[in-house]
Amino acid sequence: MLEATPLTEGWILRHEGDALPASVPGCVHTDLLAAGVIPDPFLGCDERAVAWVGRREWTYECELAARDGHEQTDLVFDGLDTAAEILLDGRPLGRTRNMHRSYRFDVTGLAGRLSVRFVSAYAEAEAVRGQLGERPAAYAEPYQYIRKMACSFGWDWGPTLVTAGIWRPVRLEQWSTARIARVRPVVTVEDGVGLVELHLDVERTRVEAELAVEATVGGVRVRADLDGTRGSVRLEVPDARLWWPRGYGEQPLYGVELTLLHEERPLDSWRRRIGFRSVGLDRRPDAHGTGFTLVVNGERLFARGVNWIPDDVFPSRITRERYRERLRQAADAHVDLVRVWGGGIYESEDFYDACDELGLLVWQDFPFACAAYPEEQPLRGEVEAEARENVVRLMPHPSLVLWNGNNENLWGFRDWGWEERLAGDSWGEGYYLGVLPRVVAESDPARPYTAGSPWSGSWDRHPNDPAHGTHHSWEVWNRDDYADYRLHVPRFVAEFGWQAPPAHATLRRALPGEELAPDSPGVLHHQKADDGNGKLERGLARHFAVPEGDFDRWHYLTQVNQARAVAAGIEHWRSHWPVCAGTVVWQLNDCWPVTSWAAIDGDGREKPLYHELRRLYADRLLTLQARGPVRVVAAVNQAADVWSGILVLRRMSVEGGVIGSVRVEFAAEGRSVADVAVPRELEPVGPKEFLVADVDGLRALHFPMPDRDVPYPRPEFAVALVPGGIEVTAHTLVRDLLLQADRLDPAARADRGLLTLLPGERVTIGVAGWKTPDAEAARSALYCMEPSR
């Protein structure tokens, strides 16, 4: 039987003649941090102090002992970051230049000093650029010339920390006669029968040996002889239980096992978990343009999505538990789709396992983002090799429902001046419209592929045309007010978002000793977006009286504005289902402490946006929308059952009086939207009035004027301790009340975000991790809208 021995012990990192202890898997930065050679680049402005690390060459070494008892011994690297030469006692075994691939070297009968010498990723990228010529990109760093996680070169939310190292596991594999080289599982379901086709490649040391394979799944067992180095088996599972995305059903998973046999003796085995489900992408033209609707098990979905970036700029630090925690946070916010963005990586099995179990659909980008990528060698062969390996690696996961060719490169070619600058040079189109769809069609025919995001489906239309395919809405953040989200109904919004700083405790940890201000050195350093603070300020000024010299107030208002902006988009677009079939917020998570578009900051703390997503992505959403000259209450029902009840509408004054009210019956069928017209006499007039809609514990608000023009009363409320949290009782209108629990204790978390209370209303805010509850401390950590100063 094949024997695998992990190589995790005894590694050293060579640094200026010294031998430092090294962790494998790991990277140079984490090893230098552990040895005290460099400061933590996440703190203060120390990112700059470690920039030299990415410019150096580095060598990892360990002793490789001789192994007996098998015909062949292979040295297997699951991931090397990135350009490396592998030597054993000075004898070259091979070279690598792709972070996204695994590598295997024959070391049968060999022993000695194993060395993995990494050249600087900069040196490798710049050499390829010199060979193939300059290509345009959104950023100055040379990330498009090397098959490496692009965002390690920095992004508008990430630091520039160019890594090197053995970033995924390494092991010795010893085997005899034959081993399983690859299994490609095609899983489908037809008329309630689960179908599993296992396509097998083997490697042999003895070509004459008679081999057989045995496969099992769901109590079904199949056996077949294997001639040569390729074969397949087919299994049929009657009455297969369907795997559903969360909110639509359960997520049953079946264990599948394939065993390679010689004379009834097992030589090797392959084990995975699969789920039976069908998936499609409806891109048919209609009266509104060209759709983009995911269909799972015949059910058309409105995708409630988030964009995912690497959860740490040093991915080797992301544990199985951390993946599960972050994805559980997504699931708890009613997210049902996670887009793995193209400037990152193909994530580890731990990520996809968690998505399988949680019912989170995965949209997987191939790693191309915001740049023109050369299509010549040495990159072309690397791209096809990594695509073939990773498509097959990820095929077992039922959560994976879509392959996407790139992020924003088709758009960039058309709109960002690339076409003129390239003057006919290759830029990636051959990957997105040629190589990648061919690889998916040949290897994973049961899943849909789209050439890019955004992509209208044809060069006959603008790549980012909102009426066709996927759309990225960035003009609003960059130039406009978030009210402009309501001007269009895209078919599928794959990116949009609004910035806000991280939690207060996250800033305090990242910027020790700094007097916090929007323009203090550390705060500015942890803002990577072009004119990011300027856009925050202008976004605030459209709605609020911008506080001068009050960082705490600025911090609160920017977080409110982020939640309000995202809500404006999602409420509008969800209310237009089925024309709009999904929103994917930029972004769920951060890779370090930073002001960004994330809902969960770099320390894992939830911003107000996170709690707002829980409301916005719930099965049932109540929202007030304009339908031309008429205002309606849109009851968005993504549940399967009818949603019916009595809707209470109130026209109110900010002083708390009810000017008019009405009770209206409504019914929204399952997976549909019902509009209820607001009587004209209930429309608020002027800055002192607003509209409230309530049903089943859900509330929608409409203020006709920006907050800066609303004469809010001075908020009055009582705070009392209750078991597990605090109770707040409003004596006046209290708009956008927020408990910043991390100000009570860095470990504290609140169970809800922004709340608007009418006079006399009471709410309990649960607080976990608060060691010494105190009512006055709680009051000091509560923020809400105040009269304009």
Side-chain angles (χ1 to χ4, degrees):
M1 188 71 170
L2 181 146
E3 295 182 16
T5 305
L7 297 180
T8 57
E9 305 296 330
W11 288 92
I12 63 169
L13 173 65
R14 295 288 181 188
H15 169 62
E16 296 182 349
D18 295 330
L20 304 177
S23 293
V24 172
C27 75
V28 171
H29 287 82
T30 53
D31 289 331
L32 295 176
L33 269 169
V37 175
I38 61 171
D40 187 342
F42 284 14
L43 303 184
C45 300
D46 284 339
E47 173 198 352
R48 298 170 183 156
V50 304
W52 59 272
V53 175
R55 295 283 183 179
R56 297 284 182 90
E57 297 185 359
W58 300 94
T59 299
Y60 282 82
E61 294 180 349
C62 77
E63 289 297 327
L64 197 64
R67 305 275 173 161
D68 298 320
H70 286 274
E71 295 170 357
Q72 181 151 335
T73 302
D74 293 335
L75 174 64
V76 183
F77 294 93
D78 284 342
L80 292 170
D81 177 17
T82 293
E85 182 181 21
I86 296 89
L87 306 101
L88 189 57
D89 268 353
R91 169 191 168 186
L93 297 178
R95 293 178 180 271
T96 73
R97 62 198 321 159
N98 193 329
M99 179 180 182
H100 305 302
R101 293 179 59 187
S102 63
Y103 296 92
R104 179 180 292 267
F105 304 101
D106 185 351
V107 293
T108 306
L110 302 179
R113 193 70 169 171
L114 175 62
S115 300
V116 184
R117 296 178 180 172
F118 291 95
V119 303
S120 162
Y122 280 109
E124 167 72 10
E126 288 160 359
V128 172
R129 178 171 57 190
Q131 174 186 343
L132 302 182
E134 193 79 31
R135 299 295 197 283
Y139 303 99
E141 300 281 309
Y143 57 92
Q144 70 269 48
Y145 305 101
I146 184 170
R147 296 309 298 153
K148 174 178 172 60
M149 184 175 85
C151 63
S152 69
F153 288 92
W155 221 259
D156 56 4
W157 37 256
T160 302
L161 294 168
V162 179
T163 51
I166 305 171
W167 78 289
R168 279 182 167 162
V170 56
R171 63 190 174 277
L172 287 176
E173 288 189 357
Q174 296 175 270
W175 54 280
S176 299
T177 307
R179 73 173 185 90
I180 298 172
R182 187 179 81 153
V183 178
R184 186 171 62 85
V186 179
V187 181
T188 56
V189 61
E190 294 180 6
D191 299 324
V193 177
L195 305 178
V196 184
E197 295 178 9
L198 301 176
H199 301 271
L200 172 72
D201 294 345
V202 301
E203 183 181 355
R204 291 173 175 259
T205 59
R206 288 187 272 161
V207 296
E208 76 286 356
E210 293 184 356
L211 302 178
V213 292
E214 189 171 87
T216 61
V217 61
V220 177
R221 184 182 301 271
V222 172
R223 182 185 174 99
D225 293 332
L226 180 67
D227 295 325
T229 59
R230 288 189 174 181
S232 64
V233 293
R234 175 186 169 98
L235 300 97
E236 297 186 4
V237 180
D239 300 319
R241 297 172 61 212
L242 293 180
W243 183 98
W244 288 93
R246 66 181 300 102
Y248 290 84
E250 297 181 347
Q251 294 79 44
L253 297 171
Y254 289 75
V256 58
E257 181 173 359
L258 179 71
T259 303
L260 180 66
L261 302 164
H262 171 58
E263 297 178 348
E264 301 306 312
R265 180 170 58 89
L267 301 176
D268 196 2
S269 64
W270 177 92
R271 298 178 182 87
R272 296 293 188 275
R273 291 186 307 173
I274 62 169
F276 293 108
R277 56 100 185 97
S278 65
V279 60
L281 183 62
D282 187 350
R283 289 182 273 199
R284 291 175 297 178
D286 57 26
H288 304 280
T290 308
F292 194 92
T293 304
L294 283 166
V295 184
V296 179
N297 298 330
E299 185 80 56
R300 299 168 63 82
L301 312 180
F302 181 97
R304 294 169 279 189
V306 289
N307 281 275
W308 171 276
I309 66 171
D311 205 51
D312 196 316
V313 75
F314 306 130
S316 60
R317 295 200 297 201
I318 310 173
T319 63
R320 182 178 182 84
E321 293 71 29
R322 182 163 159 186
Y323 274 124
R324 191 163 295 275
E325 176 189 6
R326 199 68 70 242
L327 291 167
R328 169 55 69 184
Q329 287 174 299
D332 287 348
H334 307 295
V335 167
D336 60 20
L337 180 141
V338 179
R339 176 188 171 207
V340 182
W341 167 77
I345 57 177
Y346 306 94
E347 293 288 348
S348 80
E349 295 297 326
D350 296 332
F351 173 91
Y352 304 96
D353 284 346
C355 290
D356 290 343
E357 295 165 13
L358 293 167
L360 293 171
L361 302 174
V362 176
W363 159 335
Q364 177 70 52
D365 281 14
F366 286 97
F368 300 89
C370 301
Y373 284 77
E375 296 176 39
E376 294 79 16
Q377 299 293 6
L379 293 176
R380 187 179 185 87
E382 291 292 344
V383 166
E384 179 152 357
E386 85 177 45
R388 289 195 178 278
E389 176 176 340
N390 284 285
V391 167
V392 171
R393 176 174 74 89
L394 300 181
M395 281 176 66
H397 296 284
S399 57
L400 178 58
V401 295
L402 181 67
W403 292 102
N404 176 49
N406 74 87
N407 176 73
E408 298 190 343
N409 295 343
L410 297 162
W411 182 18
F413 178 76
R414 177 57 52 87
D415 256 12
W416 301 349
W418 294 2
E419 190 168 5
E420 296 77 16
R421 291 172 60 189
L422 285 163
D425 286 344
S426 67
W427 57 275
E429 182 181 27
Y431 296 146
Y432 319 134
L433 299 179
V435 172
L436 298 177
R438 173 168 52 84
V439 168
V440 172
E442 292 172 357
S443 299
D444 192 12
R447 281 187 181 87
Y449 169 88
T450 184
S453 186
W455 179 233
S456 62
S458 169
W459 284 118
D460 294 336
R461 299 181 288 264
H462 190 281
N464 200 29
D465 187 333
H468 300 276
T470 49
H471 177 69
H472 289 195
S473 181
W474 284 118
E475 285 300 296
V476 168
W477 158 252
N478 285 319
R479 296 176 178 83
D480 304 325
D481 181 41
Y482 56 71
D484 288 359
Y485 284 137
R486 304 185 184 104
L487 299 179
H488 304 284
V489 183
R491 306 311 304 269
F492 193 107
V493 188
E495 280 190 22
F496 76 107
W498 201 270
Q499 272 201 346
H504 186 264
T506 300
L507 282 172
R508 276 285 168 224
R509 187 192 68 81
L511 305 174
E514 180 166 311
E515 184 176 345
L516 298 178
D519 59 352
S520 61
V523 171
L524 285 179
H525 184 75
H526 288 246
Q527 163 62 278
K528 295 296 186 178
D530 182 37
D531 190 31
N533 269 21
K535 293 169 185 176
L536 283 176
E537 294 286 348
R538 291 189 290 277
L540 280 182
R542 293 184 180 104
H543 297 272
F544 306 103
V546 179
E548 298 292 338
D550 186 344
F551 178 79
D552 289 345
R553 195 74 189 160
W554 177 88
H555 180 267
Y556 161 74
L557 288 175
T558 52
Q559 291 202 330
V560 169
N561 221 30
Q562 179 187 40
R564 294 255 198 103
V566 172
I570 293 178
E571 289 186 1
H572 170 65
W573 295 320
R574 279 195 73 182
S575 79
H576 283 278
W577 162 261
V579 176
C580 180
T583 57
V584 189
V585 177
W586 188 271
Q587 64 215 62
L588 174 69
N589 58 327
D590 269 326
C591 64
W592 76 313
V594 64
T595 295
S596 82
W597 297 264
I600 302 169
D601 75 20
D603 282 5
R605 294 187 175 92
E606 296 123 354
K607 296 182 186 178
L609 172 60
Y610 172 83
H611 296 282
E612 188 70 350
L613 285 178
R614 292 178 64 188
R615 180 184 71 86
L616 296 166
Y617 277 165
D619 278 352
R620 291 171 174 173
L621 171 69
L622 203 65
T623 174
L624 285 155
Q625 296 290 321
R627 300 283 194 252
V630 178
R631 187 166 308 282
V632 301
V633 181
V636 181
N637 182 23
Q638 205 155 346
D641 299 331
V642 175
W643 181 22
S644 61
I646 305 297
L647 183 67
V648 179
L649 291 168
R650 286 177 286 175
R651 176 183 173 190
M652 298 190 66
S653 72
V654 295
E655 290 87 1
V658 177
I659 301 169
S661 67
V662 67
R663 297 166 64 87
V664 183
E665 291 186 0
F666 80 98
E669 297 296 324
R671 323 287 194 210
S672 73
V673 180
D675 285 351
V676 178
V678 175
R680 288 196 175 276
E681 63 270 19
L682 291 188
E683 281 283 353
V685 177
K688 292 186 177 183
E689 296 182 3
F690 64 103
L691 181 62
V692 186
D694 289 295
V695 67
D696 295 341
L698 303 182
R699 170 169 287 173
L701 296 166
H702 168 60
F703 285 77
M705 308 294 286
D707 292 71
R708 67 188 181 206
D709 297 327
V710 176
Y712 289 115
R714 186 160 300 281
E716 297 179 8
F717 52 87
V719 180
L721 296 178
V722 295
I726 65 170
E727 182 180 80
V728 179
T729 303
H731 302 312
T732 64
L733 171 66
V734 180
R735 191 176 186 202
D736 284 333
L737 180 72
L738 175 67
L739 176 66
Q740 295 191 7
D742 59 288
R743 291 178 180 265
L744 303 172
D745 187 302
R749 298 288 194 276
D751 67 355
R752 58 190 64 204
L754 299 168
L755 300 162
T756 293
L757 302 178
L758 304 181
E761 291 186 333
R762 180 179 301 163
V763 67
T764 297
I765 303 173
V767 185
W770 189 12
K771 299 182 183 67
T772 56
D774 177 85
E776 284 307 309
R779 177 176 282 277
S780 69
L782 285 164
Y783 290 77
C784 64
M785 289 298 151
E786 297 178 352
S788 297
R789 299 175 184 177

